[in-house]
Amino acid sequence: PFRSEVERWRPLVASIFWPEEVDNVLRVMTCESGGWPDADSQANRGLMQINQVHIRRIEAMGYTWDQMFEPEPNLRVAYAISEGYQWGPWSCAYITGVL
């Protein structure tokens, strides 16, 4: 049901997120980056468009801001954010019906 640019990330997403969240992640990813890991929009980066306001969490997890263009670190940080805030930080969650 997802474009190939997004669907290609399903195995990685499934290795990080709970099974019942995989399609939600792919929906948000579709809206946020279209599945492009190099997506960059001012203060947001990567597949899940991680916002720069999360820099402390990113660094606490052992990643750098530049690594948010890498799919696995980006998704791991997204998971940590979603565990704390659910899907609230992603406006695309509202647009896609995840919330």
Side-chain angles (χ1 to χ4, degrees), residues 18-93:
W18 293 99
E20 61 272 12
E21 289 294 327
V22 171
D23 280 348
N24 288 339
V25 174
L26 296 178
R27 281 185 197 96
V28 172
M29 183 189 300
T30 296
C31 186
E32 292 287 353
S33 71
W36 298 105
D38 57 349
D40 188 7
S41 58
Q42 296 184 7
N44 304 296
R45 288 188 171 175
L47 290 172
M48 297 297 287
Q49 289 293 277
I50 302 298
N51 191 283
Q52 197 170 9
V53 300
H54 298 288
I55 193 69
R56 287 188 183 175
R57 180 183 303 266
I58 291 165
E59 291 172 347
M61 293 178 69
Y63 299 120
T64 65
W65 179 237
D66 286 339
Q67 284 180 291
M68 292 304 95
F69 289 122
E70 298 174 24
E72 186 170 348
N74 186 278
L75 288 165
R76 290 197 181 280
V77 170
Y79 175 82
I81 294 168
S82 72
E83 285 291 291
Y85 301 104
Q86 296 168 348
W87 292 106
W90 288 275
S91 59
C92 279

